[in-house]
């Protein structure tokens, strides 16, 4: 049976698949696979390991003549038409849990980078502009005593809240359901989205992208933010109306933002590049050696299980 992998992932996945006697085809190199190459390669594949940047819409899925499983190498799966895959009898899986710590670490790294203006400071040094210690240079904010608002209290939101709580922040969260673990570990309070936006010093987004969360933070919601607030997004770019966010910076109605994701990845709005105290990262939330290895193993195991007629571990459709 053929397993197609749309990009090189940690070797441990390849070893596992080899051990199970699958033939493996990998799209090699650092370039994203084109739609034409994708269609050509998935046509006769029994299983596919895909990236979040590969678009498995109806027209791609309909070309998959033998496929039983798409194992997305990501926790998010908005790049795959789940319903259509299901209709075609294709199991879709993701990689939850294993990247929770990595992503929560990054959310906190961004929060601190924004609060303490790390990248502005770095720039001063690199541009040879450091003329000595100064009482007013790059004043930021401490975390202790601040309100840390978590939007979406799933695994990553909870892990981020626990970290933020350890820094002395008060946690509030917006979610469809009560999260007792979060409340027990951090004394977090569940609040409305408007309350969270109006009152938080830090706001960190941890929701999947769906029709309901697209532009959840639109212009009218962003209006509610405090002028001193710090907005962190390690989820999906489309959840924030990026243009409206840029306007807020231009009007100095927000203190900082830490973005790991963008509305039109990999393109980044040119206006964002010009803004001070906006930290811009290239979608690296899960980019730890530990997480990526575990994601590779989980993806491979999902493929193996389905192709051997067993239950997938982390099915999403
Ligand atoms: C990363 O964004 C993921 O969904 O795993
Ligand atoms: C700062 O470097 C201090 O010593 O207070």
């Amino acid at each position: 049976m053929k397993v197609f992998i749309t990009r090189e992932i940690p070797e441990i996945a390849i070893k596992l698949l080899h051990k199970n006697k699958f033939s493996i085809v990998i799209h090699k190199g650092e370039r994203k696979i084109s739609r034409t190459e994708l269609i050509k390669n998935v046509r006769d594949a029994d299983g596919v390991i895909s990236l979040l940047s590969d678009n498995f819409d109806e027209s791609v899925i309909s070309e998959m003549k033998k496929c039983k499983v798409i194992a997305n190498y990501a926790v998010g799966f908005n790049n795959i038409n789940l319903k259509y895959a299901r209709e075609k009898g294709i199991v879709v899986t993701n990689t939850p849990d294993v990247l929770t710590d990595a992503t929560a670490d990054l959310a906190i790294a961004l929060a601190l980078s924004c609060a303490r203006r790390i990248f502005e400071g770095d720039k001063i040094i690199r541009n040879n502009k450091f003329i000595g210690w100064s009482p007013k240079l790059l004043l930021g904010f401490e975390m202790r005593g601040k309100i840390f608002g978590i939007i979406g209290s799933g695994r990553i939101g909870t892990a981020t809240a626990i970290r933020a709580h350890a820094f002395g922040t008060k946690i509030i969260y917006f979610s469809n359901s009560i999260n007792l673990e979060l409340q027990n570990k951090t004394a977090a309070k569940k609040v409305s989205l408007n309350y969270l936006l109006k009152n938080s010093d830090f706001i960190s987004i941890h929701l999947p992208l769906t029709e309901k969360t697209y532009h959840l933070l639109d212009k009218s919601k962003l209006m509610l933010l405090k002028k001193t607030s710090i907005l962190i997004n390690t989820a999906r770019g489309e959840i924030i109306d990026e243009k409206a966010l840029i306007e807020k910076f231009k009007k100095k109605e927000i203190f900082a933002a830490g973005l790991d994701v963008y509305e039109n990845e990999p393109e980044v709005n040119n206006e964002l590049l010009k803004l001070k105290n906006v930290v811009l990262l290239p979608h690296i939330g899960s980019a730890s050696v530990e997480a990526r290895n575990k994601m590779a193993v989980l993806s491979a195991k999902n493929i193996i299980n389905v192709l051997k007629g067993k239950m997938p571990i982390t099915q999403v459709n």
Side-chain angles (χ1 to χ4, degrees):
M1 282 191 276
K2 174 183 158 181
V3 175
F4 179 61
I5 310 180
T6 68
R7 190 80 71 82
E8 284 174 89
I9 61 171
E11 195 56 32
I12 187 161
I14 318 300
K15 281 197 185 130
L16 266 175
L17 292 167
H18 266 309
K19 225 164 93 189
N20 283 273
K21 311 266 184 283
F22 295 123
S23 82
I24 301 162
V25 179
I26 306 174
H27 171 71
K28 295 219 163 136
E30 277 309 298
R31 181 181 56 82
K32 174 179 142 104
I33 193 167
S34 72
R35 194 176 173 82
T36 318
E37 290 167 310
L38 183 65
I39 289 174
K40 182 166 156 267
N41 281 284
V42 296
R43 217 167 248 151
D44 65 341
D46 298 279
V48 175
I49 298 183
S50 55
L51 305 190
L52 60 90
S53 48
D54 303 323
N55 190 6
F56 283 80
D57 55 19
E58 222 179 284
S59 70
V60 172
I61 293 174
S62 66
E63 297 283 343
M64 302 171 90
K65 302 298 179 216
K66 294 168 69 185
C67 189
K68 294 266 177 307
V69 52
I70 303 172
N72 213 34
Y73 186 69
V75 67
F77 41 80
N78 52 285
N79 57 307
I80 303 172
N81 185 330
L82 294 188
K83 195 163 159 273
Y84 191 64
R86 193 187 174 84
E87 275 168 38
K88 300 283 280 184
I90 300 173
V91 168
V92 178
T93 66
N94 70 338
T95 61
D97 296 315
V98 294
L99 45 59
T100 296
D101 283 329
T103 310
D105 282 353
L106 195 81
I108 296 296
L110 284 170
L112 284 166
S113 300
C114 289
R116 297 306 300 275
R117 308 175 66 175
I118 303 283
F119 285 84
E120 287 176 88
D122 182 87
K123 217 173 187 176
I124 288 175
I125 299 293
R126 287 178 202 279
N127 292 340
N128 237 335
K129 295 266 168 61
F130 181 42
I131 55 169
W133 192 91
S134 160
K136 291 191 195 161
L137 182 62
L138 292 184
L139 299 187
F141 293 100
E142 296 176 15
M143 289 182 77
R144 182 165 308 281
K146 300 295 187 301
I147 296 183
F148 201 105
I150 299 272
I151 300 182
S153 69
R155 289 166 292 250
I156 300 172
T158 301
T160 302
I162 290 168
R163 284 161 172 73
H165 181 65
F167 278 92
T169 63
K170 295 192 181 81
I171 309 295
I172 57 177
Y173 71 102
F174 167 69
S175 172
N176 286 333
S177 53
I178 291 174
N179 182 331
L180 284 178
E181 184 202 355
L182 177 59
Q183 295 187 177
N184 291 337
K185 288 189 174 157
T186 70
K189 282 203 176 66
K190 184 169 172 296
V191 297
S192 70
L193 183 58
N194 284 4
Y195 181 94
L196 185 144
L197 296 171
K198 272 186 209 158
N199 291 283
S200 296
D201 300 297
F202 295 87
I203 294 157
S204 192
I205 301 173
H206 301 285
L207 289 171
L209 174 63
T210 64
E211 272 167 31
K212 279 191 188 138
T213 64
Y214 176 84
H215 279 199
L216 180 69
L217 298 197
D218 60 7
K219 190 172 172 185
S220 68
K221 292 284 184 229
L222 289 171
M223 293 240 287
L224 302 174
L225 300 191
K226 296 207 242 186
K227 280 201 164 96
T228 50
S229 67
I230 292 171
L231 179 63
I232 307 301
N233 191 4
T234 54
R236 285 292 180 271
E238 294 93 326
I239 296 172
I240 303 177
D241 180 344
E242 223 167 58
K243 281 206 184 98
L245 180 65
I246 290 164
E247 280 313 303
K248 284 199 73 70
F249 272 97
K250 288 188 173 162
K251 293 188 196 150
K252 300 202 191 316
E253 288 173 356
I254 180 170
F255 181 71
L259 306 177
D260 186 41
V261 289
Y262 306 89
E263 264 202 78
N264 299 303
E265 284 177 32
E267 273 145 55
V268 177
N269 190 317
N270 207 37
E271 295 291 316
L272 277 176
L273 307 181
K274 298 180 199 154
L275 299 171
K276 270 202 328 186
N277 212 11
V278 176
V279 179
L280 304 169
L281 295 181
H283 204 150
I284 54 170
S286 69
S288 71
V289 173
E290 295 92 332
R292 291 286 162 86
N293 278 328
K294 289 184 216 159
M295 289 161 68
V297 170
L298 183 51
S299 310
K301 283 187 175 165
N302 275 317
I303 295 270
I304 293 163
N305 277 15
V306 174
L307 294 187
K308 297 212 155 169
K310 293 191 217 143
M311 287 300 286
I313 305 165
T314 50
Q315 184 169 0
V316 292
N317 67 335

